[in-house]
Amino acid sequence: MVADSETDAVPCPACSSQSTETLLRLPSVPVHVGLLWSSPERAAQCPKGEMVLSLCAHCGYAWNSAFQIANLDYEQDYDNALHHSPKFAEWEAALAEGLVERHDLHGRRLAEIGCGDGRFLSSLCLAGENFGIGFEPGHNPDRVSDLVSRAGVEIIDEYADATSLRGYEVDFVASRHVLEHLPEPLMLVEAIRGGLVGGGAVYVEVPNFSWALERGAFEDLMYEHCGYYTPETLAHLLHRTGFSEVVASSTFDGLFAAVEAVAADGVACDDPIDPAVVERIRHDVVALGTRIERVATEFAKRRDEGQRLVAWGGGARAVGLMNLVESADAVDFVVDINPRKQGTFVTGTGHPIVAPEHLRHEQPDAVLIVNPVYTDEIAQMLTDLGVDADLISI
Ligand SMILES: [Zn+2]
């Protein structure tokens, strides 16, 4: 893992500018982080890819310039845990109602690109008696929301491309958590612009890179996401494609970056974004690399002193940490309170994931707190287990 800053000639996929630089190289990261493995060998041999995080000084877009879509296996069965959160469901329902109200969506034709189980598109349709068409490659008719038939939504099992929306004359297009997966994001936004009738509106939502950077959340750098957007970058992308009335924001407690805009006869605007925004992204990405290196140094030092080191927390953050830190072999195992994870092995490295009770017999010298939010809780559990160890935070 090298955090460096070098100028190269890779043009920005979002705005074609040549003012790009490489900020962070992560030579080997698992391409799918959410899988549980039953053997350490299989966990360690999981498919991996290279991440080279590049940044565009013109539009603020950050992306993995070593991304290869062929590395991904979209046959894997994914389940978005957020859907099961009442807070998320409430927020999403309010979002649908707000979009219907702000863009006067009543008796209109709506489309969603990457509509998943059709739940959100159906909510939009039901809220304004609209007609909806969704695009979802790999769409499984047995796993659609029960709202889909009530709303009369049609779901098409294909990737939306530049021609998909032609002929539908849609008044509104939504696309949520799709753009970050696309190596050529401009093509999708241009396709949306081309498919909308004059005055039609768009809503695009992605993970918020600003949120991740502010928290040093290196686990948000995942192979499946080749593009990383702040609200400012999203706004630039829509201005550049000729949208007007562009409003970008951080939403859902800042976790998502979202943009709404209107396909009026606006003139495409390719002005650079505020250089201070680009500088903030650059600074925070480099700091991310520094933090990973600091953890690596701490691990190596304790290993050389013959200490027993374990990590607490087996989620996506642990997967990121164990795979990015070169000296992660200094860690004997990972503790997790989730029984479903206990007995499995960390993707990419094969560290065993064990129950907290395991520590009674092991008596580690130091426990790495993977997620500092839980420091107090973990300290209490260690005391209850009779474990006296240094706590290391990152
Ligand atoms: Zn750019």
Side-chain angles (χ1 to χ4, degrees):
M1 208 284 313
V2 180
D4 61 348
S5 178
E6 60 189 52
T7 303
D8 56 41
V10 183
C12 171
C15 77
S16 307
S17 165
Q18 297 281 344
S19 302
T20 65
E21 63 182 318
T22 297
L23 295 180
L24 199 60
R25 289 180 186 275
L26 308 171
S28 179
V29 299
V31 300
H32 299 290
V33 295
L35 305 178
L36 299 175
W37 300 91
S38 57
S39 89
E41 294 79 20
R42 291 184 63 207
Q45 288 161 11
C46 74
K48 293 175 187 169
E50 184 185 15
M51 278 196 78
V52 176
L53 201 68
S54 299
L55 177 67
C56 172
H58 185 77
C59 75
Y61 182 60
W63 79 104
N64 176 9
S65 51
F67 179 78
Q68 297 195 12
I69 203 156
N71 280 341
L72 292 180
D73 173 12
Y74 276 114
E75 299 299 309
Q76 300 283 2
D77 199 11
Y78 281 102
D79 192 20
N80 187 343
L82 277 178
H83 293 177
H84 306 300
S85 143
K87 183 184 170 183
F88 180 76
E90 201 174 297
W91 172 81
E92 196 178 58
L95 171 65
E97 280 172 24
L99 288 169
V100 165
E101 191 183 312
R102 285 193 292 282
H103 300 288
D104 191 21
L105 303 177
H106 297 277
R108 306 291 189 91
R109 296 169 71 89
L110 320 183
E112 185 175 8
I113 294 172
C115 67
D117 67 359
R119 187 191 60 262
F120 182 67
L121 178 58
S122 300
S123 303
L124 286 171
C125 289
L126 290 168
E129 295 184 20
N130 298 299
F131 167 77
I133 178 166
F135 294 87
E136 181 59 40
H139 160 62
N140 180 348
D142 295 332
R143 287 181 60 178
V144 296
S145 160
D146 50 13
L147 295 179
V148 166
S149 58
R150 266 177 60 199
V153 159
E154 181 186 354
I155 300 181
I156 298 176
D157 181 1
E158 61 183 52
Y159 285 100
D161 62 22
T163 60
S164 299
L165 291 173
R166 276 188 205 150
Y168 287 109
E169 304 264 297
V170 289
D171 302 286
F172 178 86
V173 179
S175 184
R176 304 173 61 214
H177 303 270
V178 170
L179 206 60
E180 69 272 22
H181 296 272
L182 303 180
E184 296 180 60
L186 198 55
M187 274 175 56
L188 179 75
V189 183
E190 283 173 345
I192 293 172
R193 178 72 180 81
L196 279 168
V197 299
V202 63
Y203 176 78
V204 178
E205 182 188 297
V206 292
N208 187 357
F209 196 36
S210 295
W211 186 94
L213 289 176
E214 280 163 18
R215 285 156 186 78
F218 46 82
E219 69 274 21
D220 275 30
L221 295 176
M222 56 180 86
Y223 196 85
E224 288 147 324
H225 294 173
C226 56
Y228 298 86
Y229 299 84
T230 66
E232 295 89 350
T233 317
L234 269 186
H236 186 275
L237 191 58
L238 276 95
H239 277 301
R240 189 176 194 279
T241 320
F243 282 95
S244 51
E245 298 176 45
V246 176
V247 179
S249 61
S250 297
T251 185
F252 194 53
D253 288 349
L255 271 169
F256 306 149
V259 67
E260 287 174 45
V262 174
D265 293 324
V267 178
C269 169
D270 191 25
D271 291 346
I273 69 167
D274 183 352
V277 172
V278 178
E279 191 44 48
R280 189 192 72 217
I281 298 170
R282 179 185 292 115
H283 171 271
D284 289 351
V285 170
V286 171
L288 217 54
T290 308
R291 184 174 288 116
I292 294 166
E293 283 180 353
R294 205 167 53 224
V295 174
T297 307
E298 178 78 24
F299 279 7
K301 180 175 140 267
R302 288 179 181 264
R303 179 186 56 197
D304 295 346
E305 289 169 359
Q307 291 197 17
R308 279 219 87 184
L309 188 60
V310 304
W312 189 301
R317 197 171 167 88
V319 173
L321 191 66
M322 294 297 133
N323 282 279
L324 298 183
V325 173
E326 280 173 26
S327 51
D329 59 346
V331 175
D332 285 350
F333 52 83
V334 173
V335 177
D336 200 285
I337 56 171
N338 182 348
R340 219 168 68 82
K341 288 186 182 151
Q342 294 160 9
T344 67
F345 299 85
V346 173
T347 295
T349 62
H351 286 90
I353 303 177
V354 301
E357 290 70 28
H358 200 74
L359 293 178
R360 284 188 203 278
H361 322 290
E362 299 291 340
Q363 291 295 337
D365 297 300
V367 176
L368 173 80
I369 309 288
V370 170
N371 191 338
V373 170
Y374 300 114
T375 301
D376 291 347
E377 197 178 305
I378 294 168
Q380 185 57 52
M381 279 193 271
L382 288 170
T383 304
D384 295 347
L385 288 164
V387 174
D388 179 21
D390 294 345
L391 297 188
I392 309 172
S393 279
I394 50 172

